[in-house]
Amino acid sequence: MNEKLRKIVLAAVFAALTCVATMLIQIPTLTKGYVNLGDCFVILAGWICEAYWGAAAAGIGSALADIISGYAVYAPGTFAIKALMAVIAALLVYAFRSHTFTGRVVSAISAELFMALGYFAFEWAFITGSFETSVIGIPENLIQGFVGVLASVSVMTALEKTRALSALKLK
């Protein structure tokens, strides 16, 4: 199969998985947001699809989930933040020269810290205009990040143990 077509199809699958995982289980938070499993697929998209295609999949899938779930005002920020999360995850895991457990954990934590700070900055600049109000969301985004780290590292470890990635000629 054409390599570019394979990457496009894989990115489309990850965009769909990200959207569905974000919408499927939504645990409400105090600031009217929600904790979900979407970040698992945002990070996996970076690791599996690599930086460019992973960014497209993560940004599109997450922004679509915001639009469909009634959070359209967040969609532009979500697109940029989630796309950059995938890039961070991809670049850092490859900086470790391989998909080591440590490389995955460091890259996932870094991506999630960026997410928490990214939403803080987006809300401050475009939503609330208030530093104090925007800071309230940081702890909840860190909880979301913790879920994303645990889920992405666990799923990637399971995928490797089942040899699913090698069967798809991804690793």
Side-chain angles (χ1 to χ4, degrees), residues 66-79:
D66 273 358
I67 292 166
I68 295 167
S69 296
Y71 293 89
V73 68
Y74 281 91
T78 293
F79 179 86

Side-chain angles (χ1 to χ4, degrees), residues 84-141:
L84 289 171
M85 281 177 67
V87 170
I88 290 166
L91 295 179
L92 287 178
V93 84
Y94 290 108
F96 278 83
R97 307 238 188 270
S98 68
H99 277 274
T100 63
F101 180 79
T102 302
R104 287 187 196 126
V105 170
V106 168
S107 70
I109 289 171
S110 299
E112 294 293 1
L113 288 174
F114 173 81
M115 179 270 298
L117 293 174
Y119 275 115
F120 159 73
F122 180 75
E123 288 179 3
W124 183 16
F126 300 106
I127 304 296
T128 68
S130 165
F131 177 87
E132 294 81 10
T133 303
S134 300
V135 120
I136 292 170
I138 292 175
E140 292 175 354
N141 282 325

